[in-house]
């Protein structure tokens, strides 16, 4: 009994040590199990990603390419990062004593890469779900997609695409939990404990940053949408809430402009915005210049002299036509197509990409006014409403997104502009090279191809000099033998009107209409070719010298000065002197003496002819041909106006203008012909 009592304390003292050792062994076992769970699940996760990227995406090629980019987003980047991460996990298995420490450092090394790849995938996840929802509305398409997924991943079940697409989101959110499980089973005094703590905190920050980035993307997507709304739809959206919000913003802006409240200064954003506006201006100007260049190119290509007969005999003209045709259908056609594909379309896409940031910058200004008002209220009252807090967060998200994304966007746009300009230069260089190459082969067949450049230039100058001297001599001779001014014959039946104007204004004021004039304004006259008018004033009331005030003998008004020429009236004595001097006129001059217009009586059937062709405009009128004989039935219309006459031609009756008829000369065996 004594021995037993003596041994009893020792057994009791060893019991806590054994218990501590057992507890330590148990924690170590749980730690290794947690590490093994991390490694095994990472292997399964990577296998599932590769299955999605290869088998499933490969069998869904019948979907639009844009849909595949949205559904699987940057899954290839995630696979690349996870492959290297899994390799690192497997390398730590050879060092069991410090495995937990190495895993903690491994997570810290991959912290930034995890955040970069997963935030892009998570930001596009909602858009991918919208596509999945749209597929469910098409039974045949949904059945096809479900069959592909069940064949590759039977455990997906009826969830289909949704089951696969959510896997990356579940994995990034599970990393902190797996690390926490390892950390809980790691002794506090171990060197791995602080490293695992930092790794767990880092992965929690990664998830927080991804959520923040996703929220910013949702805000950006909301405000970058460009809706084509009619005026009625815009007015329908106006309500008391929107009016109150816009009024509050306007009030805040007026206070800032008046200096009553301070404006929030953000030098970083202002610099980025200035750079963005400069980049946008460059894109706009370049697009305008390229559009003008393409229009000029089209105009240049429309000029095709080689398709018409040049009436220049010889081989050089034929070679020119062949070269021009070859360039038109070959080099220039290819240049125009490449210019459109490689310069114009990328430039239009670049200009379209500017719309989203422009809308965000504009919306940030509105949200900044809301933010400043909420901040003032927060300082004064100490609390804000839920809606005001949401407006505050919206501004912060927008501002943070722009400050983060604008530098990258500005840099990418600048690079794209540089590439487009370089492409434009290279295209023109290629065009010049092709034109020179084809021209050289054509020039080798010309007669003077062996002549040196200085000699050819001298030959060209001598040829142009001879041609210019011949042209100058021809011009001088032509001016010496200019024909006398021609005068249109007087209109039939206008001799009395001409004599009245001549008596009233004199020959120096009489002008003749060279072509038909159709009056457009209230004070403009409508005149026919050959009519005589008298000039009253050589400008209108506004001082315009291109509109003259004239008198027709019955009406006064304005006519274009370019359609009038001075009327050369020749008296009988002048005509007799010209005939005696041997001057023969090859054109008909007006009769110098006034003659009474031919007005036949109603019962008398008088034979006349049409001096000008006339096209009937209604059933009451009658069409005539120049020189066609007619019979006047009535020398006036039903209202008694002598301007129209009722005539009969080939058994048909109708009205024609009286001044289109002339009296038939005495019958002669030679017949009657129109004046030239």
């Amino acid at each position: 009994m004594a021995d037993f009592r003596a041994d009893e304390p020792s057994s009791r003292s060893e019991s806590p040590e054994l218990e501590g050792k057992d507890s330590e062994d148990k924690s170590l076992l749980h730690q290794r199990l947690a590490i093994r769970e991390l490694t095994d699940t990472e292997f399964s996760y990577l296998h599932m990603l590769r299955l999605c990227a290869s088998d499933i995406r490969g069998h869904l090629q019948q979907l639009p390419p844009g849909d595949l980019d949205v559904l699987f987003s940057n899954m290839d980047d995630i696979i690349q990062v996870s492959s290297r991460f899994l390799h690192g996990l497997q390398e730590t298995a050879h060092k069991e004593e410090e495995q937990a420490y190495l895993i903690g450092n491994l997570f810290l090394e991959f912290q930034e890469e995890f955040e970069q790849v997963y935030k892009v995938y998570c930001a596009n996840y909602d858009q991918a779900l919208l596509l999945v929802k749209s597929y469910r509305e098409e039974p045949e398409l949904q059945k096809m997609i479900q069959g592909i997924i069940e064949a590759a991943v039977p455990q997906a079940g009826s969830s289909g695409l949704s089951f696969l697409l959510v896997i990356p989101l579940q994995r990034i959110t599970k990393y902190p939990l797996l690390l926490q499980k390892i950390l809980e089973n790691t002794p506090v005094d171990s060197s791995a404990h602080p490293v695992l703590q930092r790794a767990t905190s880092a992965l929690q920050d990664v998830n927080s940053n991804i959520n923040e980035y996703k929220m910013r993307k949702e805000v950006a997507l909301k405000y970058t949408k460009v809706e084509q709304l009619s005026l009625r739809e815009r007015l329908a959206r106006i309500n008391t809430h929107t009016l109150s919000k816009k009024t509050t913003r306007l009030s805040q802006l007026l206070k800032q402009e008046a200096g009553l409240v301070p404006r929030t200064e953000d030098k970083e954003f202002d610099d980025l915005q200035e750079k963005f506006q400069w980049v946008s201006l460059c894109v706009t100007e370049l697009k305008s210049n390229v559009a003008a260049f393409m229009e000029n190119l089209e105009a240049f290509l429309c000029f095709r002299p080689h398709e018409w007969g040049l009436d220049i005999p010889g081989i050089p003209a034929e070679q020119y036509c062949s070269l021009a045709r070859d360039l038109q259908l070959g080099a220039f056609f290819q240049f125009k197509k490449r210019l459109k594909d490689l310069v114009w379309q990328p430039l239009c896409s670049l200009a379209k990409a500017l719309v989203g940031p422009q809308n965000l910058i504009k919306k940030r200004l509105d949200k900044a006014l809301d933010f400043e008002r909420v901040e003032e209220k927060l300082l004064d009252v100490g609390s804000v409403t839920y809606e005001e807090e949401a407006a505050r967060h919206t501004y912060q998200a927008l501002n943070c997104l722009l400050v983060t994304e604008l530098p990258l966007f500005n840099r990418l746009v600048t690079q794209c502009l540089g590439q487009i300009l370089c492409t434009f230069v290279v295209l023109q260089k290629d065009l010049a090279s092709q034109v020179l190459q084809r021209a050289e082969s054509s020039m080798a067949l010309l007669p003077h191809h062996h002549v040196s450049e200085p000699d050819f230039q001298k030959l060209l100058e001598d040829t142009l000099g001879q041609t210019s001297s011949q042209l100058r001599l021809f011009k001088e001779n032509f001016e010496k033998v200019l024909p006398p001014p021609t005068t249109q014959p007087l209109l039939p039946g206008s001799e009395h009107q001409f004599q009245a104007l001549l008596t009233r204004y004199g020959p120096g004021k009489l002008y003749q209409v060279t072509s038909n004039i159709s009056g457009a304004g209230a004070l403009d006259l409508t005149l026919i070719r050959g009519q005589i008018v008298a000039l009253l004033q050589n400008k209108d009331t506004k001082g315009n010298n291109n509109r003259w005030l004239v008198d027709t003998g019955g009406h006064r008004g304005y006519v274009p000065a370019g359609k009038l020429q001075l009327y050369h009236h020749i008296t009988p004595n002048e005509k007799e002197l010209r005939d005696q001097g041997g001057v023969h006129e090859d054109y008909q001059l007006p009769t110098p003496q006034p003659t009474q217009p031919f007005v036949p009586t109603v019962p008398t059937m008088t034979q006349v002819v049409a001096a000008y062709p006339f096209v009937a405009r209604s059933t009451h009128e009658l069409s005539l041909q120049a020189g066609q004989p007619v019979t006047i039935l009535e020398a006036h219309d039903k209202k008694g106006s002598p301007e129209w006459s009722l005539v009969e031609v080939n058994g048909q009756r109708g009205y024609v203008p009286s001044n289109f008829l002339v009296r038939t000369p005495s019958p002669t065996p030679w017949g009657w012909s129109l004046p030239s």
Side-chain angles (χ1 to χ4, degrees):
M1 291 292 294
D3 293 337
F4 176 77
R5 292 192 197 96
D7 293 339
E8 187 177 2
S10 65
S11 63
R12 289 181 179 176
S13 63
E14 290 178 3
S15 178
E17 294 178 1
L18 291 174
E19 290 179 0
K21 187 176 181 180
D22 292 341
S23 176
E24 183 179 350
D25 293 341
K26 189 175 181 180
S27 298
L28 182 60
L29 178 61
H30 285 299
Q31 182 193 72
R32 291 178 180 177
L33 290 175
I35 293 175
R36 184 172 182 179
E37 180 185 2
L38 171 63
T39 307
D40 292 345
T41 53
E42 186 68 22
F43 180 83
S44 301
Y45 167 65
L46 184 59
H47 173 72
M48 188 64 68
L49 289 182
R50 287 172 175 167
L51 199 63
C52 291
S54 58
D55 293 355
I56 296 177
R57 184 169 60 181
H59 287 85
L60 292 177
Q61 292 300 320
Q62 57 267 43
L63 295 177
D67 288 10
L68 292 178
D69 294 338
V70 174
L71 289 174
F72 298 96
S73 188
N74 63 329
M75 188 172 288
D76 293 331
D77 297 334
I78 298 177
I79 291 174
Q80 183 183 3
V81 174
S82 295
S83 299
R84 292 189 289 109
F85 179 70
L86 177 61
H87 179 72
L89 285 177
Q90 292 171 345
E91 288 291 327
T92 62
H94 303 293
K95 303 176 182 179
E96 292 186 1
E97 295 182 358
E98 52 183 10
Q99 188 175 12
Y101 176 84
L102 295 175
I103 288 176
N105 281 332
L106 186 65
F107 270 102
L108 292 175
E109 291 176 7
F110 278 83
Q111 174 187 355
E112 293 185 2
E113 291 190 67
F114 281 154
E115 182 174 338
Q116 291 298 325
V117 295
Y118 281 100
K119 73 178 183 180
V120 174
Y121 186 88
C122 294
N124 295 329
Y125 177 70
D126 290 340
Q127 194 172 358
L129 289 184
L130 291 177
L131 279 179
V132 174
K133 183 179 179 181
S134 66
Y135 297 153
R136 290 172 181 168
E137 297 176 358
E138 302 181 25
E140 293 296 330
L141 180 61
Q142 175 64 18
K143 183 179 179 180
M144 181 270 297
I145 295 174
Q146 190 67 23
I148 293 174
I149 294 175
E150 289 180 356
V153 187
Q155 63 268 32
S158 60
S159 299
L161 272 176
S162 302
F163 172 81
L164 299 176
L165 297 178
V166 78
I167 290 177
L169 275 71
Q170 294 174 339
R171 188 60 183 173
I172 190 62
T173 55
K174 195 172 182 180
Y175 282 144
L177 301 177
L178 293 171
L179 279 172
Q180 183 66 32
K181 193 172 182 180
I182 297 173
L183 179 63
E184 291 174 354
N185 294 282
T186 302
V188 180
D189 57 350
S190 172
S191 60
H193 192 274
V195 178
L196 290 172
Q197 273 188 328
R198 292 199 305 272
T200 305
S201 177
L203 267 295
Q204 290 173 348
D205 292 340
V206 166
N207 280 274
S208 299
N209 294 338
I210 290 174
N211 289 332
E212 183 70 21
Y213 181 81
K214 187 172 182 294
M215 186 191 72
R216 295 176 194 168
K217 282 294 185 180
E218 291 173 353
V219 172
L221 182 63
K222 175 183 177 182
Y223 293 117
T224 51
K225 289 182 179 179
V226 180
E227 296 181 307
Q228 302 295 335
L229 300 177
S230 63
L231 180 59
R232 177 176 296 181
E233 291 172 338
R234 292 181 183 276
L235 292 176
R237 291 193 175 188
I238 298 178
N239 51 38
T240 56
H241 175 71
T242 57
L243 288 175
S244 174
K245 186 165 58 174
K246 293 183 181 299
T247 303
T248 304
R249 289 175 182 170
L250 180 60
S251 175
Q252 184 72 14
L253 183 61
L254 292 176
K255 289 179 181 179
Q256 290 180 357
E257 295 295 334
L260 300 178
V261 295
R263 177 181 297 174
T264 303
E265 298 291 340
D266 192 340
K267 183 70 168 55
E268 181 182 7
F269 174 78
D270 292 341
D271 293 340
L272 291 173
Q273 182 185 7
E274 183 179 356
K275 178 70 177 295
F276 173 77
Q277 298 299 342
W278 176 80
V279 170
S280 301
L281 180 62
C282 291
V283 173
T284 304
E285 289 294 328
L286 182 59
K287 184 180 177 183
S288 175
N289 292 335
V290 172
F293 180 85
M294 294 179 66
E295 290 179 2
N296 294 333
L297 178 63
E298 287 291 342
F300 169 74
L301 295 179
C302 288
F303 181 68
R304 302 176 181 178
H306 55 276
E307 295 183 357
W308 302 89
L310 299 179
D311 295 332
I312 302 177
I315 298 178
E318 297 176 359
Q319 290 178 348
Y320 162 75
C321 292
S322 176
L323 176 62
R325 190 179 302 106
D326 186 25
L327 294 176
Q328 181 84 23
L329 301 177
F332 284 109
F333 177 79
Q334 184 181 7
F335 172 74
K336 183 175 71 172
K337 184 177 183 303
R338 295 178 68 192
L339 180 67
K340 183 178 180 181
D341 295 340
L342 302 179
V343 175
W344 177 249
Q345 290 182 355
L347 197 55
C348 291
S349 300
L350 193 60
K352 189 177 180 180
L354 297 173
V355 177
Q358 287 172 347
N359 289 341
L360 285 180
I361 291 174
K362 181 180 178 182
K363 186 57 64 175
R364 178 195 173 276
L365 177 61
D366 296 338
K367 297 301 180 181
L369 297 174
D370 297 340
F371 174 78
E372 291 167 349
R373 181 180 58 83
V374 173
E375 288 293 311
E376 291 178 10
K377 182 178 179 181
L378 194 60
L379 290 175
D380 294 341
V381 182
S383 63
V384 292
T385 63
Y386 176 79
E387 184 179 357
E388 291 172 337
E389 184 66 23
R392 186 165 171 266
H393 286 311
T394 300
Y395 165 75
Q396 291 174 338
L398 269 179
N399 186 72
C400 186
L401 178 67
L402 288 172
V403 171
T404 305
E405 300 290 342
L406 270 184
L408 177 61
F409 184 83
N410 291 337
R411 184 165 62 253
L412 291 176
V413 173
T414 306
Q415 291 176 358
C416 290
L417 275 177
Q419 293 174 357
I420 290 173
L421 284 172
C422 290
T423 305
F424 185 60
V425 172
V426 170
L427 289 180
Q428 294 191 75
K429 184 179 178 181
D430 290 346
L431 175 65
S433 177
Q434 292 182 31
V435 171
L436 287 175
Q437 182 180 359
R438 302 187 187 195
E440 286 175 356
S441 60
S442 179
M443 288 172 58
L445 304 175
L446 294 177
H448 302 288
H449 72 277
H450 60 280
V451 181
S452 63
E453 185 175 350
D455 294 340
F456 181 77
Q457 185 174 0
K458 186 176 183 304
L459 177 64
L460 182 62
E461 291 176 354
D462 294 341
T463 305
L464 291 177
Q466 294 176 5
T467 306
S468 63
S469 61
Q470 293 175 0
L471 182 61
R472 192 183 310 108
L473 181 62
F474 173 78
K475 180 181 178 183
E476 293 174 357
N477 295 335
F478 181 78
E479 291 176 350
K480 291 179 182 179
V481 295
L482 280 178
T486 58
T487 305
Q488 296 291 337
L490 288 177
L491 295 176
S494 63
E495 293 86 354
H496 178 71
Q497 181 183 13
F498 162 73
Q499 190 64 34
L501 292 174
L502 180 64
T503 304
R504 184 173 181 181
Y505 296 102
K509 291 287 187 179
L510 298 187
Y511 284 80
Q512 193 170 29
V513 179
T514 59
S515 61
N516 293 339
I517 300 174
S518 186
L523 299 178
D524 294 342
L525 295 177
T526 298
L527 305 177
I528 61 175
R529 180 173 177 267
Q531 189 169 348
I532 303 298
V533 296
L535 176 64
L536 299 179
Q537 192 172 2
N538 60 355
K539 58 183 177 181
D540 59 10
T541 55
K542 296 182 179 180
N544 183 9
N545 296 326
N546 295 326
R547 296 177 74 239
W548 287 1
L549 180 64
V550 299
D551 183 7
T552 64
H555 301 283
R556 294 186 178 186
Y558 292 98
V559 295
K563 294 189 176 183
L564 297 178
Q565 70 173 6
L566 188 64
Y567 182 72
H568 300 279
H569 173 59
I570 300 178
T571 62
N573 295 333
E574 291 177 347
K575 183 176 181 181
E576 184 178 351
L577 291 175
R578 284 196 177 191
D579 293 339
Q580 292 177 0
V583 179
H584 300 282
E585 304 288 344
D586 59 350
Y587 55 90
Q588 182 179 349
L589 295 175
T591 55
Q593 296 180 355
T595 58
Q596 296 296 330
F598 174 73
V599 182
T601 58
V602 174
T604 305
M605 304 297 287
T606 307
Q607 187 72 20
V608 295
V609 297
Y612 305 98
F614 175 71
V615 179
R617 297 164 297 181
S618 65
T619 57
H620 303 290
E621 299 176 358
L622 184 65
S623 298
L624 298 177
Q625 299 292 332
Q628 187 176 13
V630 301
T631 302
I632 296 181
L633 303 179
E634 293 181 355
H636 55 80
D637 58 11
K638 293 182 179 181
K639 296 182 180 179
S641 174
E643 295 182 359
W644 292 85
S645 298
L646 178 64
V647 300
E648 181 178 357
V649 178
N650 298 330
Q652 296 182 355
R653 296 186 178 187
Y655 287 96
V656 297
S658 299
N659 54 7
F660 275 52
L661 306 176
V662 294
R663 184 184 304 169
T664 306
S666 302
T668 62
W670 311 104
W672 187 88
S673 60
L674 288 175
S676 59

